[in-house]
Amino acid sequence: MPIRRTRGVTPRPRATGALRSPLLTLALAGALIGAAILLFVRFAHWADAHPVIAVLLALLALPVLYVLFRAMPRASELRRAARAGMIPPVGEEPAPEPAPTPQVLHIPADAHDGLTAVLPPPAPVFTLPDFTALDPDGFEAAVAALCERDGCREVEVVGGAGDLGADVLATAPDGRRVVVQCKQYGPDHKVGSQDLQRFGGTCWTVHGAQLATVVTTSEFTAPALEYAEACGIRCVDGTALAAWAEGSGAAPWGPAMLDTA
């Protein structure tokens, strides 16, 4: 699976747009007050020379000054805004920002940082069955699973009525066509020469075998082994089957079986 590493995200600075309204109000108020002082000084000098006109202008300016005074923010509101760090009035508060989303770094499976080893995917696990406790169909399926585990391709279980001696068909790792007959017998029931003869009459001509083998949970009689050696059929008894399944012995197409053909 990809390694996920979560890295912290630097918090973004708070937006300053919410502070513009109080600051703009303060700036306008200061400008108006300064302008009013200058105008008052100039007006005082001018009023000494023109007293009548100055009185009329003062009467006309009173409504204007009253409107401006009403439009200016109150001193208490300005003090509260200053103490709160220029927080805007109620109703103009900005919406809370969502919590930052952690950044997820995806690292490909074939990359590493030099400290962590990248392990290969685990191999399929083969559960070693108790071959003697299986029924004939289960035994054929278990032998087919062994063939697939050890590199065979196109593995197929074909045992049943009319199988003409073939229970498992497969293609060996070296490309040979493998035909397997399975004999799930008890310890007192050995595979005899008649079983080998029936299989030998079909494995080569009917099934086109390039490697024919008989696998049993029991043993082979001496005549059966003689016939198999003469015909090139490989015999796997219960002991050899257990070694094959455990990995201590080779498969029928492995090097360890060549001298028994």
Side-chain angles (χ1 to χ4, degrees), residues 66-248:
Y66 176 78
V67 173
L68 293 176
F69 178 77
R70 295 288 296 178
M72 291 177 60
R74 298 179 182 178
S76 59
E77 294 179 357
L78 295 176
R79 286 195 298 270
R80 283 198 300 268
R83 285 196 299 266
M86 300 303 178
I87 299 177
V90 177
E92 298 182 6
E93 296 179 356
E97 298 183 2
T101 303
Q103 296 179 349
V104 179
L105 179 63
H106 296 277
I107 301 179
D110 57 350
H112 59 87
D113 56 5
L115 300 177
T116 304
V118 179
L119 300 177
V125 178
F126 178 81
T127 303
L128 187 65
D130 182 3
F131 296 109
T132 59
L134 299 174
D135 58 16
D137 292 338
F139 181 59
E140 293 172 3
V143 172
L146 278 176
C147 294
E148 188 173 13
R149 184 200 70 178
D150 290 351
C152 284
R153 307 181 307 275
E154 302 172 357
V155 180
E156 183 181 3
V157 179
V158 295
D163 58 14
L164 297 178
D167 294 320
V168 178
L169 301 178
T171 301
D174 57 7
R176 287 178 294 175
R177 179 175 175 80
V178 179
V179 179
V180 183
Q181 186 178 68
C182 301
K183 295 294 185 182
Q184 204 271 350
Y185 288 164
D188 298 331
H189 188 176
K190 295 184 179 182
V191 180
S193 61
Q194 292 184 353
D195 295 322
L196 269 294
Q197 291 173 17
R198 285 193 293 269
F199 180 60
T202 59
C203 63
W204 310 111
T205 57
V206 176
H207 300 292
Q210 295 172 304
L211 190 154
T213 180
V214 177
V215 180
T216 182
T217 54
S218 180
E219 297 179 347
F220 295 88
T221 64
L225 292 175
E226 292 177 1
Y227 178 84
E229 184 178 3
C231 296
I233 300 174
R234 300 184 179 180
C235 296
V236 180
D237 59 14
T239 302
L241 174 61
W244 175 21
E246 293 171 358
S248 59

